[in-house]
Amino acid sequence: MTRVSEHLNRALHDLLAADPGVHVLGEDITDPYGGAFKVTRGLSGRFGDRVRSTPLSEGAIVGVGAGLALAGRKAIVEIMFADFATLAFDQLVNFAAASTSMYGRPVPIPLVVRCPSGGNRGYGPTHSQSPQKHFLGVPGLHVFEMSPFHDAGRLLETMLGLGRPCLLFEDKVLYTRRMYEDGVVDDLFRYEVTGGVARVFLEGAAEPDCTLIVHGGMVHRALAAVRDLLLEEDVVCELLVPSQLYPLPDLPGLERAGHVCVVEDGSEGGGWGAEVARVLHPRLWSTLRRPITLVASAPSVIPAAPHLEREVLVQPGHIRHAIMEALS
């Protein structure tokens, strides 16, 4: 069994071994610490000064990474907690993203900014957020998210190959979960990955009653809801998990869905779910039987106390209730 954090670490090792032009920057990422979540463990000992621990300044780290990319290198930057990507907003939006097109010709900026995100670990208001929505719609900036279905090595190669700055969100709880392999989720569900989109389905089922679209950090909570809906309510759901959140890729099979529900871990209002619905409504208008359902966390700070945190963040019961209400 390979955990997601171990899988990411192996992917970084392989990438740096294969491409001497790749540099990794971040706070406390060198050994013996190896990063707050140990994703960069072993890199500095193996690759020397291509892996550097930096001062505590997210703006400076991202600025240096973007500068390396602008100068022809490739940079991977780790933000210790995604909450603090906001401190690098100027460098991401006004420098890295804008640099791809503001010089009168296309300029490649192969930069990946890794952002450990999400709650359910009791870290409190400023270390538990899922701020993906704040980076949507920025020209030149792509947003991705790790999942237990997607190969991290291919994902890193894809992002660097775009020649555009990319944010890669990685749910912190997901780090401890296993990567799915060989098309099997559990005793009931199987999966396949096509065009960067993982599709989880009930083998042998006909048209699903509902298709859920979720980002990587919501996978296990969505799977728990989907399993409960099947066993307790006889409602068949499929799950679509795109690795690229923005711009949204083509999502397969939605024309045959009885209902579409988008679930995100960020707070409600102006979020990824609204962007997905905006893209899908023109495509599905003739086949939709009811409005697309959006499920998001409460518009609140995230408490450190576990019982209060669970009230704010999306849980399987919230997903199940929203789907049953829509289908009733």
Side-chain angles (χ1 to χ4, degrees), residues 17 25 35 70 114 152 159 181 204 227 259 278 290 318 324:
L25 309 170
L70 188 63
R114 296 182 40 249
M159 288 186 288
E181 299 175 343
R227 188 179 180 90
H259 179 54
R278 180 193 70 81
R290 52 186 65 83
H318 299 136
M324 290 305 299

Side-chain angles (χ1 to χ4, degrees), residues 6-42:
E6 297 167 341
H7 177 71
L8 279 162
N9 178 258
R10 182 74 263 161
L12 287 169
H13 272 272
D14 291 346
L15 178 64
L16 268 72
D19 190 341
V22 176
H23 296 255
V24 182
L25 309 170
E27 299 161 10
D28 295 329
I29 65 169
T30 53
D31 295 326
Y33 194 58
F37 301 99
K38 312 310 174 191
V39 174
T40 58
R41 178 181 288 165

Side-chain angles (χ1 to χ4, degrees), residues 206-217:
E207 181 178 292
D209 299 301
C210 180
T211 296
L212 278 77
I213 304 169
V214 307
H215 56 84

Side-chain angles (χ1 to χ4, degrees), residues 15-317:
L15 178 64
L16 268 72
D19 190 341
V22 176
H23 296 255
V24 182
L25 309 170
E27 299 161 10
D28 295 329
I29 65 169
T30 53
D31 295 326
Y33 194 58
F37 301 99
K38 312 310 174 191
V39 174
T40 58
R41 178 181 288 165
L43 292 178
S44 64
R46 185 177 177 191
F47 300 104
D49 61 6
R50 291 168 58 201
V51 181
R52 292 179 180 266
S53 285
T54 65
L56 187 69
S57 174
E58 286 75 12
I61 304 166
V62 173
V64 171
L68 282 167
L70 188 63
R73 303 297 181 93
K74 299 172 184 175
I76 297 175
V77 171
E78 178 179 299
I79 302 294
M80 190 177 286
F81 287 86
D83 313 63
F84 304 129
T86 55
L87 296 170
F89 198 80
D90 179 59
Q91 291 291 340
L92 284 166
V93 175
N94 290 326
F95 177 38
S99 291
T100 62
S101 58
M102 72 178 181
Y103 298 119
R105 60 182 175 83
V107 175
I109 305 289
L111 169 69
V112 174
V113 180
R114 296 182 40 249
C115 299
S117 59
N120 291 298
R121 291 184 67 142
Y123 289 169
T126 62
H127 292 71
S128 305
Q129 297 172 86
S130 296
Q132 290 90 328
K133 68 179 183 179
H134 300 301
F135 300 94
L136 303 180
V138 177
L141 185 64
H142 289 236
V143 181
F144 288 78
E145 184 157 345
M146 185 61 193
S147 90
F149 303 111
H150 293 94
D151 181 85
R154 292 197 192 103
L155 197 52
L156 289 168
E157 289 178 4
T158 295
M159 288 186 288
L160 291 173
L162 286 172
R164 295 196 165 205
C166 298
L167 287 161
L168 175 61
F169 287 92
E170 304 163 5
D171 186 85
K172 296 189 290 289
V173 172
L174 198 65
Y175 284 146
T176 65
R177 301 297 186 96
R178 69 178 178 91
M179 292 292 298
Y180 291 117
E181 299 175 343
D182 303 322
V184 178
V185 175
D186 56 24
D187 57 323
L188 293 175
F189 293 95
R190 302 293 182 264
Y191 77 91
E192 59 186 14
V193 181
T194 306
V197 180
R199 171 178 166 259
V200 181
F201 57 93
L202 181 66
E203 196 167 28
E207 181 178 292
D209 299 301
C210 180
T211 296
L212 278 77
I213 304 169
V214 307
H215 56 84
M218 284 302 311
V219 163
H220 292 93
R221 282 170 279 173
L223 283 172
V226 165
R227 188 179 180 90
D228 285 349
L229 285 164
L230 175 66
L231 297 178
E232 298 181 20
E233 306 290 348
D234 201 28
V235 172
V236 177
C237 296
E238 282 191 358
L239 195 62
L240 296 180
V241 188
S243 59
Q244 181 170 314
L245 305 187
Y246 184 86
L248 189 71
D250 184 51
L251 300 175
L254 290 175
E255 282 77 10
R256 63 188 185 86
H259 179 54
V260 174
C261 176
V262 188
V263 186
E264 63 183 304
D265 212 16
S267 58
E268 66 181 50
W272 179 65
E275 170 64 12
V276 174
R278 180 193 70 81
V279 173
L280 293 184
H281 265 123
R283 170 184 162 188
L284 302 179
W285 189 253
S286 63
T287 59
L288 282 173
R289 302 175 193 172
R290 52 186 65 83
I292 294 174
T293 296
L294 304 182
V295 180
S297 295
S300 167
V301 297
I302 301 171
H307 67 291
L308 297 176
E309 188 178 37
R310 286 192 294 271
E311 291 180 8
V312 170
L313 299 176
V314 175
Q315 302 300 328

